[in-house]
Amino acid sequence: MTETLDVARQDGSEDRPSRAREDRSPQARVDGWLARFEAALAARDVAAAASLFAVTSYWRDLVAFTWNIKTVEGRAGVADLLTTCLDHTDPAGFRTTETPVEADGVTEAWIEFETAVGRAKGHLRLTDDGAWTLLTSLRELKDFPEPLGDLRPKGAQHGAITHRRSWAEERALEQEQLGYDRQPYVVVIGGGQGGIALGARLRQLGVPALVVERNDRPGDSWRKRYKSLCLHDPVWYDHLPYLPFPDNWPVFAPKDKIADWLEMYTRVMDVPYWTRSAVTSAAFDEATETWRVVVDRDGEEVVLTPRHVVFATGMSGKPHLPSFPGMADFEGEQHHSSQHPGPDRYAGKKAVVIGSNNSAHDICAALWEHGADVTMVQRSSTHVVRSESLMDLGLGDLYSERAVRAGMTTEKADMVFASLPYRIMHEFQIPIYEQIRARDADFYARLEKAGFAHDWGDDGSGLFMKYLRRGSGYYIDVGAAELVADGRIKLARGQVDHLTRTGVVLADGTELEADLIVYATGYGSMNGWVADLCGQEMADRVGKCWGLGSDTTKDPGPWEGEQRNMWKPTQQPGLWFHGGNLHQSRHYSLYLALQLKARYEGLPTPVYGLQEVHHLA
């Protein structure tokens, strides 16, 4: 957009038009870039489109172009993506959805567009050099929209219908037939928060799916954990798809309340769900491209033959139980933190907890509250952040009541977070944790004075990057760290050498007497479940799950650019992984569900940039 200004000469001579001056408003800058980008795409001019990106730039695509979750970097990366994907994507109609804003030389805009098969949304950051970051995300398939709003089902069948079946009868018939007379297109192994969220998405998209859970009830993966467990993330971060928590829901929900919500949600959202059902084996038939999933359903062997299997067993694999010399000799009680029953029966007992991350702190605090003599064994440094500071500085702008009052929605907050490429996300996190370090300097001084080995992550980027890179090594303090700081929870540092009949001996010779030993020693990679059910060969074919390849502690390179294997195609056809916290289960379940829906409807889904396997476990 340009405008012409008539400027009167001060010497009184005849007025003359000035040179046209370009409108440099944020809206005009974005409109101009989108117009040039769309024109280049329409002309299939890959070089021209790539030239609109800055030399250092990042394009993160969530299924819209790539049928994958993929980030490319720089103009060469953009050109490679477009060379492969442009013809079948055929994008058009790029436009802003709200007024762009500008700060510190960066113009940000929310955008939407269409592809050959879907409708998409995204986010753009522009600098003087061109596009710095671009997020594109598929939101729905044009021919197969979700039944929302005007498309919602009527529910009732009006008129006179002989042999009418009620809604309850229809649901009972479906439950009776699914897995027997009718086979699901997708079997979701694991009915925790991830499996339930994905099951709800698939249900709304009309994909025949079945969630298989070994526990007695939906929500038992929370209900059966130690009784002091609660969410450490705030309610605004934890909504499930379609049905957010009510406004009076507690900020940090106790585990039993979450369990009841998940059970209610499963029922209300009509998620096809088998309880007391353990998958005992799964094999893929290359000739028919179907799975043979054997399920022990409450003592009955049932064989399912889906086209796709999703492992929704959390962001981690099986509990990691260490093997220390002398474990068989210990005469007290010992178990992994995932099996910890709670503190009640350990009053007056001596407890040793091996580990110093979230579960270790929670269990230590609960044991102390119930009169146990508790020692935490810290084997490596841990990042601790006080809940209040994390909620304010780390999450407050996106997930808080303050954010809601400012007009932030859950969907928009999720997209803001998704719009930051992992390659540079730490640069945005480091200043936050520098503020936290300064705000809580006294807290950290007291903690370290008590002998606690604290770290801020390999590059000072704190909790979120530790979570994304390795899924461990941190604790959100809701009180236990204060008990460590003042010595009420005893602290021992070092590696475990062996166990005796009466306790734990560390490598430096320190002996810790114990009636109870809790191994808060974490979990393996999710492909460990694949090894158990499908064989080691298949587990090695798909490789390690989680991590970015950042070449930081417990996240070996090379750089992946996205979470390994999560929510996207793997090297094993028909095998998918879904997991993470409630935020990720909510957000990424959409993209996984859309990928499965497209395949169910027979749409072409050429995958760009299928992840290579660099690590087996």
Side-chain angles (χ1 to χ4, degrees):
M1 182 185 299
T2 60
E3 61 181 352
T4 302
L5 298 178
D6 289 331
V7 181
R9 288 173 58 96
Q10 290 186 355
D11 61 5
S13 62
E14 184 178 346
D15 293 345
R16 65 186 183 190
S18 69
R19 290 183 300 173
R21 182 165 62 84
E22 182 180 0
D23 182 353
R24 298 294 293 171
S25 70
Q27 184 70 62
R29 291 193 67 208
V30 172
D31 287 346
W33 190 93
L34 291 176
R36 292 189 294 273
F37 187 57
E38 183 168 348
L41 298 182
R44 301 301 191 258
D45 190 341
V46 168
S51 72
L52 295 171
F53 286 74
V55 173
T56 300
S57 54
Y58 310 89
W59 180 356
R60 188 177 191 218
D61 181 64
L62 306 179
V63 184
F65 279 73
T66 61
W67 290 107
N68 198 355
I69 294 178
K70 184 72 175 176
T71 298
V72 295
E73 301 184 9
R75 293 170 177 169
V78 171
D80 188 71
L81 184 155
L82 289 174
T83 298
T84 303
C85 304
L86 183 52
D87 282 342
H88 67 254
T89 304
D90 195 25
F94 288 84
R95 54 197 175 271
T96 59
T97 58
E98 56 186 80
T99 303
V101 296
E102 186 171 358
D104 301 322
V106 179
T107 301
E108 295 191 45
W110 293 100
I111 63 173
E112 62 183 12
F113 61 98
E114 295 190 2
T115 70
V117 299
R119 297 181 180 89
K121 295 182 180 181
H123 185 270
L124 173 67
R125 291 184 180 89
L126 278 179
T127 69
D128 289 341
D129 295 327
W132 176 33
T133 70
L134 175 64
L135 171 71
T136 50
S137 68
L138 184 66
R139 307 301 292 185
E140 69 173 353
L141 299 171
K142 290 179 182 177
D143 293 338
F144 309 101
E146 291 190 30
L148 305 174
D150 291 339
L151 300 178
R152 73 171 70 230
K154 183 176 289 186
Q157 289 183 286
H158 293 167
I161 302 172
T162 59
H163 307 296
R164 178 196 295 268
R165 283 195 296 262
S166 69
W167 175 89
E169 290 169 332
E170 290 283 1
R171 284 287 287 133
L173 181 62
E174 177 189 40
Q175 291 170 349
E176 178 183 323
Q177 293 179 339
L178 187 61
Y180 297 93
D181 300 324
R182 295 188 301 108
Q183 286 296 314
Y185 184 74
V186 180
V187 166
V188 180
I189 301 175
Q193 62 202 37
I196 290 171
L198 180 60
R201 296 277 196 192
L202 293 171
R203 179 73 175 185
Q204 295 305 303
L205 285 169
V207 178
L210 176 61
V211 180
V212 178
E213 170 58 40
R214 62 187 176 184
N215 279 313
D216 297 332
R217 298 162 57 190
D220 272 355
S221 54
W222 285 88
R223 192 177 286 113
K224 292 185 175 181
R225 296 292 301 280
Y226 54 91
K227 75 175 190 179
S228 63
L229 178 65
C230 67
L231 285 174
H232 289 186
D233 298 319
V235 60
W236 307 276
Y237 188 74
D238 293 330
H239 295 302
L240 293 179
Y242 310 112
L243 191 61
F245 295 115
D247 289 343
N248 62 350
W249 195 259
V251 174
F252 303 107
K255 57 107 175 175
D256 293 296
K257 196 170 181 65
I258 284 292
D260 289 346
W261 181 268
L262 290 173
E263 186 171 28
M264 178 277 298
Y265 182 92
T266 303
R267 186 179 302 114
V268 168
M269 297 304 298
D270 292 338
V271 177
Y273 194 100
W274 281 3
T275 56
R276 302 187 195 85
S277 300
V279 176
T280 58
S281 68
F284 185 72
D285 187 321
E286 301 283 349
T288 62
E289 297 183 335
T290 58
W291 289 85
R292 185 178 189 273
V293 180
V294 181
V295 181
D296 178 349
R297 188 183 187 195
D298 201 16
E300 174 193 9
E301 182 177 283
V302 183
V303 177
L304 304 173
T305 56
R307 298 294 296 270
H308 298 270
V309 166
V310 181
F311 278 80
T313 51
M315 59 163 282
S316 304
K318 296 183 299 180
H320 173 66
L321 187 66
S323 178
F324 296 132
M327 289 176 70
D329 300 326
F330 180 62
E331 295 178 349
E333 184 178 347
Q334 54 184 323
H335 50 244
H336 189 268
S337 59
S338 61
Q339 302 300 314
H340 184 61
D344 301 70
R345 66 175 182 244
Y346 304 111
K349 303 291 187 180
K350 292 184 180 295
V352 173
V353 178
I354 311 296
S356 56
N357 295 332
N358 265 337
S359 293
H361 277 84
D362 283 350
I363 291 170
C364 283
L367 286 167
W368 178 87
E369 288 176 345
H370 284 73
D373 182 332
V374 188
T375 300
M376 176 189 291
V377 177
Q378 185 179 33
R379 299 182 297 164
S380 60
S381 63
T382 303
H383 171 58
V384 178
V385 59
R386 294 178 66 247
S387 177
E388 295 83 357
S389 296
L390 180 64
M391 297 309 109
D392 182 18
L393 299 175
L395 292 170
D397 289 342
L398 297 179
Y399 302 100
S400 69
E401 204 61 37
R402 180 181 87 216
V404 171
R405 286 195 296 269
M408 182 62 69
T409 65
T410 301
E411 177 186 330
K412 189 173 182 180
D414 290 349
M415 291 286 280
V416 170
F417 201 81
S419 74
L420 290 174
Y422 290 129
R423 176 76 85 174
I424 58 173
M425 186 176 285
H426 66 284
E427 298 176 11
F428 291 81
Q429 293 295 307
I430 289 171
I432 294 172
Y433 288 91
E434 288 175 345
Q435 293 179 65
I436 291 174
R437 186 200 300 254
R439 171 187 283 194
D440 298 326
D442 176 68
F443 166 75
Y444 291 111
R446 290 187 292 108
L447 195 60
E448 292 174 8
K449 185 177 179 180
F452 191 87
H454 183 263
D455 72 74
W456 295 88
D458 286 18
D459 51 10
S461 56
L463 185 144
F464 281 120
M465 296 312 301
K466 270 202 167 190
Y467 171 73
L468 293 168
R469 290 165 173 170
R470 55 184 280 193
S472 65
Y474 52 83
Y475 168 58
I476 301 174
D477 180 37
V478 292
E482 289 288 351
L483 297 176
V484 174
D486 63 19
R488 284 176 285 178
I489 293 175
K490 299 173 185 176
L491 182 67
R493 285 177 53 184
Q495 300 302 314
V496 175
D497 185 78
H498 66 277
L499 271 61
T500 66
R501 291 186 305 106
T502 58
V504 177
V505 179
L506 302 184
D508 64 0
T510 301
E511 296 187 24
L512 304 172
E513 188 177 348
D515 302 300
L516 165 71
I517 301 173
V518 180
Y519 300 102
T521 46
Y523 299 81
S525 175
M526 286 178 72
N527 68 340
W529 293 114
V530 178
D532 280 357
L533 299 179
C534 311
Q536 191 63 50
E537 181 181 351
M538 187 177 292
D540 290 345
R541 187 177 307 142
V542 298
K544 178 181 172 69
C545 299
W546 209 261
L548 305 174
S550 61
D551 206 24
T552 57
T553 302
K554 296 189 178 182
D555 184 28
W559 178 248
E560 306 276 1
E562 293 289 343
Q563 293 285 354
R564 297 183 187 94
N565 279 324
M566 301 303 297
W567 317 295
K568 61 185 179 180
T570 69
Q571 291 287 346
Q572 171 58 53
L575 178 61
W576 308 77
F577 294 93
H578 176 59
N581 57 29
L582 281 161
H583 154 80
Q584 290 168 309
S585 293
R586 172 185 67 244
H587 183 65
Y588 288 101
S589 60
L590 170 63
Y591 307 115
L592 178 48
L594 287 171
Q595 292 173 82
L596 292 167
K597 173 67 171 178
R599 287 162 172 79
Y600 175 67
E601 298 296 349
L603 299 179
T605 56
V607 176
Y608 170 79
L610 185 65
Q611 180 191 299
E612 298 179 11
V613 175
H614 300 291
H615 306 284
L616 301 184

